[in-house]
């Protein structure tokens, strides 16, 4: 044990001697420190870039999901005062025509925890199966734990006369407010 | 006819037996210790434990039972994977297939499902016991921390496994669960200030978990990979640390005096 320690310190001494006799040159201990920093630094940088790439990997560039803008047929296809669930499954959107003939598109998503409510034709309301939230035909919540009305999407007329829904433009429901009044631009009158 | 000692002699005194077991076993204290010490699977376990440490009334054996449940789930889970496709067209019917057509499929699936419930229950009892006996105190604080991670990983294993049958229950559980992520401040698009931070449904934590903006095929595949590969790997690594630290922190905790 004693011998080993002497051997180690002896080596160190020898090296530092050699470093100092270089005269104005870089000390070998400094060089070693520098090289260690470069080595560990490159490894750290490599790992950092790799971790960033790994995180980015979880965000795909191309999605195989339905497009966010889609046509839903001619206005005449929709009777007055009805809720169409035709695009519920694929696009998660209801096409609704009110009694006054105005159209709007609403996301099929309960504002409580995101389940899909169902339109109850006999009771004229949307009912969420998860926790019992209820909404009027305009999306205004009136029962259950839902905190606000359901969100609407932009609906307009395309050049070919069909209704065009744009899910990138959203009209979020405001608690206690009727979306027809807050967002008159969400309504389409043909 | 050969006598029994002759047969055992023939079995034991050859190169194959000796290369597997390396040395002869005599029923001595030294050889008993050596059997634990020299075995790759048992060497994490202490060679000797105090009699007080194996008092069931104190430890309840819940940590060991949790590990047993984990092994059960790994075995049944690997076997289930032979009949399961993680795709939205096949996942649900594969589970039906396992339940009604695959030989012993129903017992396999139920072992896995009930085993998962069992593991969550016993891991919580284990935590309760460690808390009530004060075994989280010094010098065992670090291992308590590891245990908290293992508890969370157990919950995540349950949660990710929930989606795999692709039924209504799992679908809505993942919908609600990832919406909670979406509502988390600074991580999800529904959190506060998200519009100023440019957090959208297409770049938040929910998007990374689902592999898309809605619960679909990518979400099923991701949940499957987390469930079958990634989280078990992380859990196994932490389990090694957990068991090793039990020994390093002074052995399994025991009654005072």
């Amino acid at each position: 044990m004693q011998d080993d320690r002497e051997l180690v310190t002896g080596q160190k001494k020898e090296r530092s001697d050699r470093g100092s006799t270089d005269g104005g040159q870089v000390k070998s201990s400094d060089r070693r420190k520098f090289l260690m920093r470069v080595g560990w630094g490159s490894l750290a940088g490599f790992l950092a870039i790799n971790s960033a790439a790994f995180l980015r990997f979880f965000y795909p560039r191309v999605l195989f999901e339905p497009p966010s803008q889609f046509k839903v047929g001619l206005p005449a296809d929709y009777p007055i005062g009805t809720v169409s669930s035709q695009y519920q499954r694929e696009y998660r959107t209801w096409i609704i025509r009110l009694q006054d003939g105005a159209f709007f598109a609403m996301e099929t998503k309960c504002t409580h925890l995101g389940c899909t409510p169902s339109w109850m034709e006999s009771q004229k309301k949307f009912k969420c199966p998860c926790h019992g939230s209820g909404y009027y035909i305009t999306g205004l919540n009136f029962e259950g734990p839902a905190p606000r009305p359901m969100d609407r999407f932009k609906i307009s007329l395309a050049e070919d006369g069909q209704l065009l829904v744009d899910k990138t433009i959203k009209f979020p429901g405001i608690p206690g407010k009727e979306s027809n009044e807050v967002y008159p631009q969400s309504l389409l009158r043909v | 006819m050969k006598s029994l000692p002759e047969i055992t002699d023939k079995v034991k005194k050859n190169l194959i037996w000796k290369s597997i077991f390396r040395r002869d076993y005599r029923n001595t204290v030294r050889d008993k210790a050596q059997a634990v010490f020299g075995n790759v699977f048992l060497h994490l376990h202490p060679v000797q434990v105090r009699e007080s440490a194996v008092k069931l009334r104190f430890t309840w054996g819940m940590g060991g039972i949790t590990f047993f449940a984990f092994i059960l789930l790994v075995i049944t889970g690997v076997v289930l994977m032979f009949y399961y496709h993680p795709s939205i067209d096949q996942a649900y019917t594969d589970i039906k297939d396992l339940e009604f057509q695959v030989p012993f499929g129903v017992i396999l699936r139920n072992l896995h499902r009930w085993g998962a419930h069992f593991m969550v229950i016993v891991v919580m009892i284990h935590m309760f016991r460690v808390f009530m006996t004060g075994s989280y105190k010094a010098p065992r604080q670090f291992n308590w921390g590891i245990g908290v991670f293992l508890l969370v990983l157990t919950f995540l294993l349950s949660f990710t496994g929930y989606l795999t049958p692709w039924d209504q229950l799992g679908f809505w559980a993942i919908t609600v669960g990832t919406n909670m992520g979406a509502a988390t401040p600074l991580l999800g698009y529904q959190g506060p200030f998200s519009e100023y931070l440019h957090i959208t449904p297409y770049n938040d934590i929910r998007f990374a978990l689902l592999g898309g903006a809605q619960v679909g095929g990518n979400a099923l595949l991701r949940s499957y990979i987390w469930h079958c590969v990634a989280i078990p790997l992380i859990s196994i690594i932490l389990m090694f640390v957990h068991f090793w630290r039990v020994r390093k922190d002074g052995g399994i905790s025991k009654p005072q005096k």
Side-chain angles (χ1 to χ4, degrees), chain B residues 1-177:
Chain B
M1 276 292 278
K2 283 176 178 169
S3 69
L4 194 64
E6 272 180 328
I7 295 170
T8 45
D9 242 36
K10 208 157 175 72
V11 172
K12 281 184 158 184
K13 284 188 179 159
N14 61 65
L15 201 60
I16 295 172
W17 182 275
K18 280 178 183 168
S19 67
I20 295 172
F21 296 101
R22 293 196 292 176
R23 59 178 73 81
D24 222 16
Y25 182 80
R26 289 173 305 273
N27 199 11
T28 62
V29 175
R30 189 181 173 278
D31 275 17
K32 280 178 188 168
Q34 198 58 247
V36 175
F37 207 62
N39 185 303
V40 65
F41 301 106
L42 296 180
H43 84 278
L44 273 179
H45 197 269
V47 173
Q48 285 181 315
V49 287
R50 286 192 183 81
E51 199 183 345
S52 58
V54 288
K55 286 258 185 287
L56 206 60
R57 281 176 66 183
F58 186 77
T59 68
W60 298 349
M62 281 299 152
I65 293 173
T66 306
F67 183 54
F68 166 75
F70 181 77
I71 290 170
L72 171 85
L73 290 167
V74 168
I75 293 169
T76 54
V78 168
V79 181
L80 282 171
M81 284 166 82
F82 283 106
Y83 275 101
Y84 175 81
H85 303 79
S87 81
I88 52 177
D89 295 326
Q90 283 166 285
Y92 184 73
T93 50
D94 280 350
I95 300 295
K96 288 274 178 215
D97 188 37
L98 273 161
E99 287 243 314
F100 297 108
Q101 294 301 328
V102 176
F104 305 108
V106 67
I107 194 168
L108 254 184
R109 192 196 167 207
N110 282 320
L111 269 174
H112 197 75
R113 192 179 165 78
W114 290 103
H117 289 308
F118 179 72
M119 182 170 166
V120 170
I121 293 166
V122 292
V123 84
M124 285 165 75
I125 300 175
H126 174 56
M127 192 184 193
F128 178 73
R129 191 282 295 175
V130 169
F131 184 77
M132 295 311 279
T133 57
S135 305
Y136 58 87
K137 291 175 187 169
R140 299 191 173 86
Q141 316 97 312
F142 180 79
N143 223 12
W144 171 268
I146 296 284
V148 171
F149 278 106
L150 281 168
L151 178 78
V152 172
L153 286 170
T154 307
F155 290 158
L156 286 177
L157 277 169
S158 274
F159 182 62
T160 50
Y162 211 26
L163 183 64
T164 49
W166 197 246
D167 55 0
Q168 286 291 313
L169 203 61
F171 182 90
W172 291 110
I174 296 300
T175 300
V176 172

Side-chain angles (χ1 to χ4, degrees), chain A residues 7 10 13 30 32 58 70 74 84 88 91 104 121 142 146 149 167:
Chain A
L7 194 65
K13 207 176 174 191
D30 287 348
R32 180 184 295 181
F58 283 96
F70 53 96
L74 298 166
S84 167
Q88 175 175 320
Y91 292 101
F104 68 93
E121 183 58 44
F142 68 94
K167 288 174 76 173

Side-chain angles (χ1 to χ4, degrees), chain B residues 177-197:
Chain B
T178 52
N179 279 338
M180 289 178 186
T184 306
L186 306 181
L187 289 178
Y189 75 96
Q190 289 170 339
F193 312 117
S194 57
E195 51 191 300
Y196 306 108
L197 298 165

Side-chain angles (χ1 to χ4, degrees), chain A residues 58-59 65 109 113-116, chain B residues 172 179 189 204 207 213 222:
Chain A
F58 283 96
Y59 292 83
E65 292 174 357
K109 187 176 169 186
L113 285 172
C115 298
T116 304
Chain B
W172 291 110
N179 279 338
Y189 75 96
D204 70 343
F207 189 76
R222 285 190 181 202

Side-chain angles (χ1 to χ4, degrees), chain A residues 176-187:
Chain A
K177 299 270 176 65
E178 172 56 70
S179 293
N180 279 356
E181 288 151 23
V182 184
Y183 303 112
Q185 68 271 37
S186 69
L187 296 170

